Amino acid sequence: NLGTEVDAPIPGDIVAFTHPLSKNAYHVGIYIGGGKMIHAINASRDTVVDDVVAFAENQDSKVAYIRY
């Protein structure tokens, strides 16, 4: 519930993913620019760089960029 949602992300902004009927994020990453983010899919895997839109589409999710 903190931070400000922005339309034009810059590196360092939080990328938050929510399911269509939920207000709470189920996954977050850090925006690194060029439509990409760095994130850990789960605790047992290394961090990876992924395309934000492709990840959201694969998970049927809404994306919000949050700046603190």
Side-chain angles (χ1 to χ4, degrees):
N1 293 332
L2 300 174
T4 303
E5 188 170 346
V6 296
D7 292 327
I10 60 172
D13 287 344
I14 300 297
V15 185
F17 297 90
T18 58
H19 291 299
L21 299 176
S22 176
K23 292 182 182 180
N24 299 321
Y26 71 89
H27 189 73
V28 296
I30 300 171
Y31 189 72
I32 61 172
K36 305 281 186 188
M37 67 172 175
I38 188 167
H39 67 122
I41 294 172
N42 62 48
S44 65
R45 294 180 60 186
D46 290 335
T47 56
V48 295
V49 173
D50 269 328
D51 182 87
V52 173
V53 173
F55 183 85
E57 287 176 353
N58 285 340
Q59 303 297 321
D60 189 29
S61 301
K62 178 184 170 197
V63 178
Y65 298 99
I66 310 296
R67 187 167 301 152
Y68 286 90

